[in-house]
Amino acid sequence: MAGASKKRAKENRQAAMGNGKPQENTGQGHLGRYDGPSDRPGSSSGPPRPGSSRGGPPSNVPHPGPPPNAPGASVRSASRPRSAAGPPSASGAPLRDPARDSKAESSKLPSRVDWGGNLYSYYSKESAPSQLMKRPGFGRDGKAIKLRLNSHAIINSPNARYYQYDVQIGGGDDYKRALIKAIWGSREMASKIPGGLQEWIYDGNKLAWSKQNLPNDFSAMIDLDKEKGRDTSTIDDKKRDLHRVRIRKSATVDLNNIYAYLNGTVDFGPGVIDAINFLDHLIREGPSKQHINIKKSYFDRNTGQKELVGGGVEAMRGIYQSIRMAEGKRMVVNVDVSHTCFWNKASFPMIINQLSGHMDLDTLPYNWRDRRTGKTTNKFQTMKRLKKNDFFVTHRGRSEKEINRVWKVHDILDQSARDFTFIPYLREEKKEGPPISLFDYFQKKYNVYLQWPDLPVVQCTKKKIIFPMEVCNMMPGQRYPYKLNEQQTSKMIKFAVQPPDHRLQSIQAGTRMLGWDKDPVLKHFALRINPEPISTNARILNPPSIQFNKSTFAPGTKGRWDLRNKKFLVPNEAPLRVWGVAVLTDPSSAQRSGTPNAAQVHAFVQTFIQTYQGHGGIVDNKSPLINGPQSDPAKCAELLFYGVGNKHNARPQLLIFILPNTSVDNYLRIKKSCDCRYGSFTQCVQGAQVIKNNPQYHSNVLMKVNAKLGGATSRVAMASPSGHFGRPTMVIGADVSHAAPGVGAPSYAAMTVSMDKYAARYAAGVQTNGYRVEMISTRNLRDMLTPLFRHWTANVSGGRLPDHVYYFRDGVSEAQYLNVIKYEVADIKEIWNEMIVPQAGVRTHEVKFTVVVAEKRHHIRFFPGKAGDENQNPLPGTLVDHDVTHPFENDIYLCSHKALKGTARPTHYHMLLDEANVPTDTFQKMLYEHSYQYMRSTTPVSLFPAVYYAHLASNRARAHEDIAESERRVRDQGDPSRSTSGQPVEEPAPLLPMIPRDGLPWGMWYI
C-alpha cells in the first residue's frame, strides 16, 4: 500500500506540475486521475490560461483555491482520512454501520413483514428515544373521496395456541437449502414427525410451528437412500445419505396478542412479534411450494407473463404479498404486481452470444481470447456470469434419468474443448486410458461432433466434471442477479409499466395464483383473507397556485402547466456574459446523426438566447464562443473553459456541451472536469435535440440553467410573505445511494439545505460513505453541513439561527428509523449546539427538529376509479391516512404528482420526531405544496424536493470519484458472486473536491 501511495502522489505532482503552468485546483496538491489530455504524455502544451499568454489566470479573477467554509472544497479534501463510516479509528479499519449493527438482535425477524418502527425500538439497547412519536390526530383539509387499495383485510385468523420450535438438520449450517428441503419433505419425515407434516409450518431454515405441543425434544434419523430406492446393503456406511433432525420447543405463540396490542391492552413485545412471525410464514407456506419464491414475490414459470429484454435475459411478472398491522385495529395483506429478471431458457452459447452483443454465433469462439497475446478478453469475463447457475445437458438424450439430472456451474475455464485434455477411466478395461481432448472424447464416446469446439469449457461443482459449453442449457426459473444495461432497463420499464386498470387486473390474476381460498395450509389453520380489496376514506388536498414573475397560474387538479408567456420568478443573479458552447462527437460511430453542423449549432444558440430572454433571463453576450467538434470529452472541456476565459478575461459563468448520444461516460467526464478541475457551471444537451431546436426543449433546459445561475423558476403563491414558515426555518434533505449488488463502487451520501426563506433553492454536499453503509457518518455530517449552516445563517436568516429544522431522510428502512434519530439527528443537533454562543454559560437558543422519512420503495397503490383522472390514476394531492397506515405511529401516503404513464406510486411519509408540534393539516399541506416548487419541472413531483435534490446530488457524486473512467467502467460491470455483507479492507477514497469559485458549492450544480 505504501508503494501505491507514493505512486499516486507522484502522478498527482506530475498532473499538477508537468505542463509548467500554475496548478488549477484547490491548492491541496491533488487533481486525481483523469482520462483527459492533461494526464497523457505529450499533452503539456495545452491552451493558455484565461487572460494570460503565459498561462496565468486573469488578473481580475481570483485563482481557484478553497475558501474556509465551502462544502465542495474543505469537505472533500484529498487529505481526508480514509475511514468514512464514522469517527476516525486508530487502526484505520472501516467502522461498522450502526444501522447494520442494530439488526443483530432482530435478525430472526422475517423481512416479509412490514413491522413498523416500534418493533425495532423494542430491540434497541440504547437510551432515548425508545419509541417513535405517536399520531397526534388525522388531517381534515381537502375533499373527501373513496378509493380502493391493493390490500386485503384478514377477516379470520386462528385463535388456537401454537408452538414455535428450533429446527436443526445435520450437524451445522453447511447444509444446502435443496438438501434441507429434501430431508424435511421426505416420506420418512412425514411418518415420524408427530401429527404429520400437514400439522407443521417450516421456514426452510431453523424455525417451525405447530399445534403439536411436544413435551420433549424430537429427534429422528432420515434415510434419503431409502427415499431414493437405493440398495443400502451395497453402500459403504461412510457414504450413506443419513441425516439427523432435531426439534426443540422455543416459544408459545398466542395470536390473541396481536389484537390485544391493536386494541391497546398490551404493549409491543415478544408475544406480538412471535404471533406476526407465525402468520407471515403461514401465508407463504403454500405459494412457496408451488411457485418461484424471491423474497416477498412469487412467480409462475408456466403461466407468468414474460418479455425478452435482451442479453439472454427475460423479465417476468409475478405477485408480491406482505402482511402488516394497520390502522383500524386490523391485519392486512398488501398485494401488488412484481417484476424481476430471469435467465432465458436457452443454450449457453446462445446466451453468451446475446450477452456479449454478438450478431454472429460463429465468430463468438474467436473473440474471448486475444489472438496476439493469448490473454482472455472482457468477453471471457462476461462468460463468467454463468457461474452458480443450474443447467442440463443434451448430448446423452433426454431419458427420464437425464431429465431429472441438474448440474451447477462452478467456473468457466480459459481452455477450449480442443485444448482441454484429461485422462479418461476405461470402465470396461478398469484402467486409465491415454490422454484425450474433450473435443475428441465427445466424438468418440457420444458420437457428437462439436460445432464450436473453441468455446471455453464449463466446470461443474460436482466432482469437477467438465462439459463443452455447447451441450449446456440453462435451467428455467433462475434469477438474473446482474445490473441491467441501458437497453435492458428500457425494455424492462416498458414491460413493467401498466395503467391502473391493467395493473388491477394483474393483481387480481396474482391473487388467484396465490389461491387464498383454496390454499390447504390456510384452510387447515383457519386463516381467511377477504378476496375484496379494502375501500378507504381518502382526501384530495386543495391545489395551490403557482407564482411566476408578476403573474400567477392555477393548475387545479390537472397537475401540469407550461412556461409559455411566463417569466421566471427570479432570473439569473448576474447577466450572462462569459459563456460558450462546445460540440462533442462520437469517434466510434461512423454516422454523425447526433452531431449538429455549425449552422444548426448557431441556430440553437440564438433560440436559446431568445427563449431565455423571453423567460426574463438577462443575457448580455449574444455571441458566445462556439468550439468545433471534439471527440475527447476532457479535451473538449479544457478547450472551452480556457477559450471562453481568454476571450473575456474572466472565469466562465456557464459552459454548454452538445453530446452526440446518451453515453454516461461522456457526461461523467465533462462533469468531473468542470466541477473538480475548472469550477464552472455546466449544462449538457443532446445533439439530436439541438438539430430539432424545439422551443419547449429550450424552456426545459433553461429551468435548469437559470437555477444554476442563481435564479428560481417559480414557487407556490402564498398569502404570507414567510410562506409556510412563520419563523426562521431550515429544510434539510438527505439520501445515501448504493451500488448494485456485486459492484465495487462506494456508497454516496448527499445532504441538501434550503437557501431561501421559501425552501425553493437548495445547496448540496456529497461524499463517499463507506461500502453499503446507510447511516451517514459523523464526519460526513459535520464536513457537509457545517459550511452550509454557516452560509445559511449569513445569507438567508440575517445572522439568526433557525428556530425550526425539518430533516427529510430518504432511503432508510423501518429497521433504521431509530438510528436516524440516535445518530444522524443527534450529530446535526450537536453541530448547531456548537454554533450557539452561550451567554453566562447558558445556551439561549434551541433548534427544534421535525424528522420525516420519505419512502417510495413500497407496494401501496391507490385505485380511485372515477374519482381519479382520465386514466383512473389518483389526482395530485390524494392522501390516505387510514386502513394501511401504521396502527399508532404518524405516517401517511401522499400522491402529489400526476402519473403520465403507468400507475401512480404515492410517497410514504413517516414522521419520527416533532419537537415543534406542527399541526397535522399544516404539515400535510406543506408536503403537498412544496412538490410544486421543484425547480426543473412544470408539474408537481412525487417526492418532497429536498429529498429529490439529495437523490440527484448523490447520483452526481459518481462524476467526482478519484478514479479513471476506464477503471470505473470495468468496476461497474459488477460480480454478484462477491460478498457485499462483509466489511471491506479499507474505506473508499474521498471524492475529488469541487472548485469553490463563482458560487459553485452554494449553487444548484447538481440539478
Side-chain angles (χ1 to χ4, degrees), residues 305 317 337 339 493-507 873 901-904:
Q305 293 177 296
R317 182 173 292 129
V337 293
H339 302 87
I493 292 174
K494 290 180 181 178
F495 174 65
V497 168
Q498 291 180 294
D501 55 341
H502 291 180
R503 192 182 191 99
L504 194 57
Q505 292 172 9
S506 296
I507 291 173
N873 262 312
K901 292 183 179 180
T903 303

Side-chain angles (χ1 to χ4, degrees), residues 354-417:
Q354 297 174 3
L355 200 61
S356 58
H358 260 76
M359 299 301 293
D360 185 5
L361 188 58
D362 291 329
T363 64
L364 180 63
Y366 310 106
N367 286 277
W368 65 274
R369 189 189 296 277
D370 190 297
R371 296 181 182 181
R372 294 180 293 103
T373 64
K375 295 181 180 180
T376 58
T377 65
N378 288 338
K379 289 183 173 57
F380 178 72
Q381 297 303 319
T382 301
M383 295 180 183
K384 293 276 189 177
R385 294 190 178 188
L386 296 174
K387 289 168 62 175
K388 296 187 177 182
N389 281 298
D390 294 335
F391 68 96
F392 63 91
V393 294
T394 56
H395 63 283
R396 296 172 178 166
R398 298 300 288 158
S399 64
E400 182 177 352
K401 180 180 179 181
E402 286 299 324
I403 286 177
N404 294 325
R405 178 172 288 184
V406 177
W407 308 90
K408 185 179 288 290
V409 180
H410 174 69
D411 200 3
I412 305 297
L413 304 183
D414 61 347
Q415 291 178 278
S416 69

